[in-house]
Short mmCIF file of all heavy atoms in Angstrom, two decimals:
data_model
loop_
_atom_site.label_atom_id
_atom_site.label_comp_id
_atom_site.label_asym_id
_atom_site.label_seq_id
_atom_site.Cartn_x
_atom_site.Cartn_y
_atom_site.Cartn_z
N THR A 1 -2.01 -19.16 -0.08
CA THR A 1 -2.60 -18.14 0.81
C THR A 1 -1.53 -17.48 1.66
O THR A 1 -1.53 -16.25 1.78
CB THR A 1 -3.66 -18.80 1.71
OG1 THR A 1 -4.63 -19.43 0.89
CG2 THR A 1 -4.32 -17.77 2.62
N ARG A 2 -0.60 -18.25 2.17
CA ARG A 2 0.47 -17.65 3.00
C ARG A 2 1.33 -16.73 2.16
O ARG A 2 1.75 -15.67 2.63
CB ARG A 2 1.30 -18.75 3.65
CG ARG A 2 0.62 -19.42 4.77
CD ARG A 2 1.53 -20.38 5.46
NE ARG A 2 0.81 -21.12 6.49
CZ ARG A 2 1.33 -22.11 7.14
NH1 ARG A 2 2.54 -22.57 6.87
NH2 ARG A 2 0.60 -22.77 8.04
N THR A 3 1.62 -17.14 0.95
CA THR A 3 2.43 -16.30 0.06
C THR A 3 1.72 -15.01 -0.17
O THR A 3 2.31 -13.93 -0.11
CB THR A 3 2.66 -17.03 -1.27
OG1 THR A 3 3.35 -18.21 -1.00
CG2 THR A 3 3.48 -16.15 -2.22
N TRP A 4 0.42 -15.03 -0.46
CA TRP A 4 -0.34 -13.82 -0.75
C TRP A 4 -0.42 -12.94 0.46
O TRP A 4 -0.35 -11.68 0.32
CB TRP A 4 -1.72 -14.17 -1.25
CG TRP A 4 -1.68 -14.82 -2.59
CD1 TRP A 4 -2.05 -16.08 -2.91
CD2 TRP A 4 -1.09 -14.30 -3.77
NE1 TRP A 4 -1.78 -16.33 -4.21
CE2 TRP A 4 -1.20 -15.28 -4.79
CE3 TRP A 4 -0.52 -13.08 -4.10
CZ2 TRP A 4 -0.74 -15.06 -6.06
CZ3 TRP A 4 -0.07 -12.89 -5.38
CH2 TRP A 4 -0.18 -13.84 -6.33
N ILE A 5 -0.57 -13.49 1.63
CA ILE A 5 -0.66 -12.67 2.85
C ILE A 5 0.70 -11.95 3.03
O ILE A 5 0.74 -10.76 3.28
CB ILE A 5 -1.01 -13.52 4.03
CG1 ILE A 5 -2.47 -13.97 3.95
CG2 ILE A 5 -0.77 -12.74 5.36
CD1 ILE A 5 -2.86 -14.98 5.00
N ALA A 6 1.77 -12.69 2.87
CA ALA A 6 3.10 -12.10 3.07
C ALA A 6 3.38 -11.02 2.02
O ALA A 6 3.77 -9.91 2.36
CB ALA A 6 4.16 -13.17 3.01
N VAL A 7 3.16 -11.35 0.77
CA VAL A 7 3.44 -10.39 -0.32
C VAL A 7 2.51 -9.19 -0.16
O VAL A 7 2.92 -8.05 -0.25
CB VAL A 7 3.25 -11.06 -1.70
CG1 VAL A 7 3.34 -10.05 -2.79
CG2 VAL A 7 4.34 -12.10 -1.88
N GLY A 8 1.21 -9.46 0.04
CA GLY A 8 0.23 -8.36 0.15
C GLY A 8 0.55 -7.43 1.29
O GLY A 8 0.41 -6.19 1.15
N THR A 9 0.95 -7.96 2.42
CA THR A 9 1.24 -7.12 3.57
C THR A 9 2.43 -6.23 3.29
O THR A 9 2.42 -5.05 3.58
CB THR A 9 1.49 -8.01 4.80
OG1 THR A 9 0.33 -8.79 5.05
CG2 THR A 9 1.79 -7.16 6.03
N VAL A 10 3.48 -6.78 2.72
CA VAL A 10 4.66 -5.99 2.42
C VAL A 10 4.37 -4.96 1.37
O VAL A 10 4.79 -3.79 1.44
CB VAL A 10 5.86 -6.93 2.01
CG1 VAL A 10 6.99 -6.06 1.50
CG2 VAL A 10 6.27 -7.72 3.21
N VAL A 11 3.63 -5.32 0.33
CA VAL A 11 3.25 -4.38 -0.74
C VAL A 11 2.47 -3.21 -0.10
O VAL A 11 2.74 -2.05 -0.32
CB VAL A 11 2.42 -5.04 -1.84
CG1 VAL A 11 1.85 -4.00 -2.75
CG2 VAL A 11 3.31 -6.00 -2.61
N LEU A 12 1.47 -3.54 0.68
CA LEU A 12 0.67 -2.50 1.29
C LEU A 12 1.47 -1.62 2.21
O LEU A 12 1.37 -0.42 2.20
CB LEU A 12 -0.50 -3.14 2.06
CG LEU A 12 -1.47 -2.15 2.72
CD1 LEU A 12 -2.12 -1.26 1.64
CD2 LEU A 12 -2.54 -2.88 3.45
N ALA A 13 2.35 -2.24 2.98
CA ALA A 13 3.24 -1.47 3.86
C ALA A 13 4.05 -0.43 3.12
O ALA A 13 4.11 0.70 3.47
CB ALA A 13 4.15 -2.41 4.64
N GLY A 14 4.71 -0.93 2.06
CA GLY A 14 5.57 -0.02 1.30
C GLY A 14 4.78 1.05 0.60
O GLY A 14 5.16 2.24 0.62
N VAL A 15 3.66 0.74 0.03
CA VAL A 15 2.90 1.73 -0.67
C VAL A 15 2.33 2.79 0.29
O VAL A 15 2.35 3.97 -0.02
CB VAL A 15 1.77 1.06 -1.48
CG1 VAL A 15 0.80 2.09 -2.08
CG2 VAL A 15 2.36 0.27 -2.61
N ILE A 16 1.81 2.37 1.40
CA ILE A 16 1.27 3.32 2.34
C ILE A 16 2.35 4.26 2.82
O ILE A 16 2.17 5.48 2.91
CB ILE A 16 0.56 2.61 3.49
CG1 ILE A 16 -0.75 1.97 3.01
CG2 ILE A 16 0.24 3.57 4.63
CD1 ILE A 16 -1.43 1.12 4.02
N VAL A 17 3.48 3.72 3.15
CA VAL A 17 4.58 4.57 3.61
C VAL A 17 4.97 5.57 2.51
O VAL A 17 5.26 6.72 2.80
CB VAL A 17 5.80 3.73 4.03
CG1 VAL A 17 7.03 4.58 4.18
CG2 VAL A 17 5.53 3.00 5.31
N ALA A 18 4.91 5.16 1.29
CA ALA A 18 5.33 6.02 0.22
C ALA A 18 4.50 7.26 0.05
O ALA A 18 4.99 8.30 -0.38
CB ALA A 18 5.32 5.23 -1.10
N TRP A 19 3.23 7.23 0.40
CA TRP A 19 2.40 8.37 0.11
C TRP A 19 1.97 9.18 1.32
O TRP A 19 1.42 10.28 1.18
CB TRP A 19 1.18 7.96 -0.69
CG TRP A 19 0.22 7.10 0.06
CD1 TRP A 19 0.17 5.77 0.02
CD2 TRP A 19 -0.82 7.50 0.95
NE1 TRP A 19 -0.84 5.32 0.79
CE2 TRP A 19 -1.45 6.35 1.39
CE3 TRP A 19 -1.28 8.73 1.42
CZ2 TRP A 19 -2.49 6.39 2.27
CZ3 TRP A 19 -2.32 8.75 2.30
CH2 TRP A 19 -2.93 7.60 2.70
N ALA A 20 2.16 8.74 2.54
CA ALA A 20 1.51 9.35 3.67
C ALA A 20 2.18 10.55 4.27
O ALA A 20 1.52 11.38 4.86
CB ALA A 20 1.30 8.30 4.76
N GLN A 21 3.48 10.69 4.19
CA GLN A 21 4.19 11.78 4.87
C GLN A 21 3.70 13.16 4.45
O GLN A 21 3.53 13.43 3.28
CB GLN A 21 5.68 11.63 4.58
CG GLN A 21 6.52 12.83 4.89
CD GLN A 21 6.47 13.24 6.33
OE1 GLN A 21 6.20 12.44 7.20
NE2 GLN A 21 6.70 14.47 6.59
N GLY A 22 3.49 14.04 5.45
CA GLY A 22 3.15 15.42 5.16
C GLY A 22 1.74 15.69 4.72
O GLY A 22 1.45 16.77 4.25
N ARG A 23 0.89 14.75 4.84
CA ARG A 23 -0.50 14.90 4.35
C ARG A 23 -1.44 15.33 5.50
O ARG A 23 -1.10 15.23 6.66
CB ARG A 23 -1.03 13.60 3.78
CG ARG A 23 -0.34 12.94 2.64
CD ARG A 23 0.52 13.76 1.74
NE ARG A 23 1.18 12.84 0.83
CZ ARG A 23 2.45 12.47 1.00
NH1 ARG A 23 3.17 13.00 1.88
NH2 ARG A 23 2.95 11.60 0.14
N LYS A 24 -2.61 15.70 5.07
CA LYS A 24 -3.64 16.02 6.03
C LYS A 24 -4.17 14.73 6.65
O LYS A 24 -4.31 13.73 5.98
CB LYS A 24 -4.82 16.70 5.35
CG LYS A 24 -4.53 18.08 4.82
CD LYS A 24 -5.78 18.65 4.15
CE LYS A 24 -5.58 20.04 3.67
NZ LYS A 24 -6.81 20.58 3.10
N PRO A 25 -4.47 14.77 7.96
CA PRO A 25 -5.12 13.56 8.53
C PRO A 25 -6.54 13.42 7.99
O PRO A 25 -7.23 14.41 7.73
CB PRO A 25 -5.08 13.85 10.02
CG PRO A 25 -5.00 15.31 10.13
CD PRO A 25 -4.27 15.80 8.94
N GLY A 26 -6.98 12.17 7.84
CA GLY A 26 -8.33 11.92 7.37
C GLY A 26 -8.33 10.81 6.33
O GLY A 26 -7.46 9.99 6.25
N LEU A 27 -9.39 10.85 5.47
CA LEU A 27 -9.59 9.78 4.49
C LEU A 27 -8.84 10.16 3.20
O LEU A 27 -9.00 11.24 2.63
CB LEU A 27 -11.08 9.68 4.18
CG LEU A 27 -11.46 8.51 3.25
CD1 LEU A 27 -11.08 7.16 3.87
CD2 LEU A 27 -12.99 8.61 2.94
N TRP A 28 -8.04 9.21 2.73
CA TRP A 28 -7.28 9.33 1.48
C TRP A 28 -7.70 8.22 0.55
O TRP A 28 -7.92 7.08 0.97
CB TRP A 28 -5.80 9.22 1.77
CG TRP A 28 -5.25 10.46 2.37
CD1 TRP A 28 -5.28 10.82 3.66
CD2 TRP A 28 -4.54 11.48 1.68
NE1 TRP A 28 -4.68 12.02 3.85
CE2 TRP A 28 -4.21 12.44 2.63
CE3 TRP A 28 -4.18 11.67 0.34
CZ2 TRP A 28 -3.50 13.60 2.28
CZ3 TRP A 28 -3.48 12.83 0.02
CH2 TRP A 28 -3.18 13.79 0.97
N GLU A 29 -7.78 8.51 -0.75
CA GLU A 29 -8.03 7.50 -1.77
C GLU A 29 -6.73 7.31 -2.55
O GLU A 29 -6.18 8.28 -3.06
CB GLU A 29 -9.14 7.94 -2.70
CG GLU A 29 -9.49 6.84 -3.72
CD GLU A 29 -10.71 7.24 -4.50
OE1 GLU A 29 -10.56 7.93 -5.54
OE2 GLU A 29 -11.79 6.91 -4.08
N MET A 30 -6.25 6.09 -2.57
CA MET A 30 -4.97 5.78 -3.18
C MET A 30 -5.14 4.79 -4.34
O MET A 30 -5.79 3.73 -4.16
CB MET A 30 -4.05 5.15 -2.11
CG MET A 30 -2.67 4.83 -2.60
SD MET A 30 -1.56 4.37 -1.24
CE MET A 30 -2.42 3.07 -0.48
N THR A 31 -4.54 5.10 -5.46
CA THR A 31 -4.54 4.21 -6.61
C THR A 31 -3.14 3.70 -6.83
O THR A 31 -2.21 4.54 -7.00
CB THR A 31 -5.10 4.92 -7.88
OG1 THR A 31 -6.41 5.37 -7.58
CG2 THR A 31 -5.12 3.98 -9.07
N THR A 32 -2.97 2.42 -6.83
CA THR A 32 -1.60 1.78 -6.88
C THR A 32 -1.56 0.77 -8.00
O THR A 32 -2.51 0.01 -8.23
CB THR A 32 -1.30 1.08 -5.57
OG1 THR A 32 -1.46 2.02 -4.50
CG2 THR A 32 0.09 0.49 -5.55
N THR A 33 -0.44 0.75 -8.67
CA THR A 33 -0.16 -0.26 -9.71
C THR A 33 1.14 -0.95 -9.33
O THR A 33 2.17 -0.34 -9.10
CB THR A 33 -0.05 0.36 -11.10
OG1 THR A 33 -1.28 1.03 -11.40
CG2 THR A 33 0.21 -0.74 -12.18
N MET A 34 1.08 -2.31 -9.28
CA MET A 34 2.24 -3.09 -8.93
C MET A 34 2.77 -3.79 -10.18
O MET A 34 1.98 -4.35 -10.96
CB MET A 34 1.87 -4.12 -7.86
CG MET A 34 3.02 -4.97 -7.43
SD MET A 34 2.46 -6.12 -6.19
CE MET A 34 3.99 -6.98 -5.86
N THR A 35 4.08 -3.79 -10.33
CA THR A 35 4.74 -4.44 -11.45
C THR A 35 5.76 -5.42 -10.90
O THR A 35 6.59 -5.06 -10.07
CB THR A 35 5.42 -3.41 -12.35
OG1 THR A 35 4.50 -2.41 -12.75
CG2 THR A 35 6.02 -4.06 -13.58
N TRP A 36 5.70 -6.67 -11.41
CA TRP A 36 6.70 -7.68 -10.99
C TRP A 36 7.87 -7.67 -11.93
O TRP A 36 7.71 -7.84 -13.14
CB TRP A 36 6.08 -9.08 -11.02
CG TRP A 36 5.09 -9.31 -9.93
CD1 TRP A 36 3.73 -9.28 -10.05
CD2 TRP A 36 5.35 -9.65 -8.58
NE1 TRP A 36 3.13 -9.56 -8.86
CE2 TRP A 36 4.11 -9.79 -7.94
CE3 TRP A 36 6.52 -9.85 -7.87
CZ2 TRP A 36 4.01 -10.10 -6.58
CZ3 TRP A 36 6.41 -10.20 -6.52
CH2 TRP A 36 5.18 -10.32 -5.90
#
């Protein structure tokens, strides 16, 4: 569980940062694929 929380938080952090700049404020739908 601790591993998943740590990995999931970092994955989510990185992915959100990757797409958010310069966008309209509001609701966004994001589709992400992770590869190890």
Side-chain angles (χ1 to χ4, degrees):
T1 303
R2 286 186 184 171
T3 300
W4 292 118
I5 289 171
V7 172
T9 302
V10 171
V11 169
L12 183 60
V15 171
I16 289 174
V17 167
W19 66 264
Q21 165 60 24
R23 303 333 174 259
K24 291 181 176 182
L27 186 64
W28 284 80
E29 185 172 88
M30 182 171 55
T31 302
T32 304
T33 302
M34 181 179 181
T35 306
W36 289 100

